[in-house]
Amino acid sequence: MIKRIKVKLDTVEGMLYFWQATKDREKVGEAYLNNMADYPEMSYIYDTEFTRESVRMVLSAISNREIFHSESKKERKYWNNNMWMMEDLGYTDMMVTPLKVLNLDSIIDKLNNSGCKTKYEELEVIFIPGHQDEYQIKDNSLIINFFRVKPDLYDETKITIGDIPILQYIEEKLLELLKQ
């Protein structure tokens, strides 16, 4: 029986500093970039084509205002996503703010009454600055690509992922997690 759904925004909050500092033309040190790449949640997007070194390299190029070239589509997408965040930090804030107050308690009863048996008492919904995938499921965690969060420009209470309201989206994906 699920007792709790925990929302984790650690990597996104770490990136907020990077995006703001870089936009303000401050130099972000290599130690900070390495720290971001070493966040445990970042490992969910690492594979043979995209590694912690990819994250460090992309963020370093952005911070140093260097032209970025890569054969890796994932690295290019990651660079593009991060550059997009810095174009309009107001929009970025519109993406983050609702996540900081996201309450998933209403979903717990629905999941427990879905008929799916689970060994987990706690589920995690982790938002990370990813590259291509919209979401992943690993064990008791739903990992959502932060760059896919879309706030409504005219109604800040509306936020979607893949044109689906965020609570509905998370509920659907957590049901998928429980069925595995």
Side-chain angles (χ1 to χ4, degrees):
M1 174 179 245
I2 300 162
K3 294 181 179 175
R4 182 174 175 213
I5 303 174
K6 184 176 179 182
V7 177
K8 296 181 79 175
L9 294 168
D10 299 345
T11 56
V12 171
E13 289 182 352
M15 288 303 296
L16 284 173
Y17 166 76
F18 173 82
W19 296 323
Q20 183 66 55
T22 303
K23 175 94 175 180
D24 292 343
R25 298 193 173 273
E26 295 175 23
K27 175 72 172 109
V28 179
E30 287 293 316
Y32 192 84
L33 304 181
N34 284 321
N35 186 43
M36 288 307 307
D38 287 336
Y39 264 97
E41 293 85 1
M42 290 298 288
S43 67
Y44 291 120
I45 61 172
Y46 294 160
D47 58 24
T48 57
E49 299 173 51
F50 191 85
T51 64
R52 74 167 298 289
E53 178 58 19
S54 300
V55 169
R56 190 210 58 78
M57 187 173 56
V58 167
L59 297 181
S60 180
I62 292 170
S63 179
N64 292 324
R65 306 208 179 309
E66 299 169 350
I67 295 173
F68 183 73
H69 295 288
S70 175
E71 296 296 316
S72 167
K73 183 177 180 180
K74 290 178 180 178
E75 288 176 353
R76 291 190 313 269
K77 182 71 173 176
Y78 193 71
W79 179 86
N80 188 58
N81 286 342
N82 280 281
M83 293 299 289
W84 171 58
M85 287 294 98
M86 294 186 309
E87 281 180 24
D88 183 354
L89 291 174
Y91 186 78
T92 303
D93 188 53
M94 288 176 66
M95 293 169 68
V96 173
T97 300
L99 300 180
K100 288 183 177 182
V101 295
L102 187 61
N103 185 335
L104 302 176
D105 289 348
S106 64
I107 296 176
I108 294 173
D109 284 340
K110 292 177 184 178
L111 295 175
N112 284 330
N113 294 325
S114 69
C116 298
K117 300 290 183 204
T118 183
K119 61 184 176 185
Y120 303 117
E121 289 188 358
E122 179 176 280
L123 301 179
E124 293 181 328
V125 177
I126 303 169
F127 289 89
I128 59 170
H131 40 71
Q132 293 177 310
D133 297 331
E134 186 172 272
Y135 76 98
Q136 295 178 46
I137 293 173
K138 301 279 185 185
D139 302 319
N140 68 326
S141 299
L142 168 62
I143 300 98
I144 298 175
N145 186 345
F146 170 73
F147 297 125
R148 301 295 176 96
V149 171
K150 301 289 182 233
D152 186 303
L153 292 173
Y154 304 104
D155 183 353
E156 59 190 51
T157 64
K158 291 183 182 177
I159 186 165
T160 60
I161 301 174
D163 295 327
I164 300 171
I166 193 164
L167 285 176
Q168 179 185 341
Y169 182 90
I170 291 172
E171 180 182 340
E172 289 174 8
K173 301 311 179 201
L174 289 176
L175 278 169
E176 183 181 329
L177 180 154
L178 295 177
K179 291 177 182 175
Q180 289 187 346

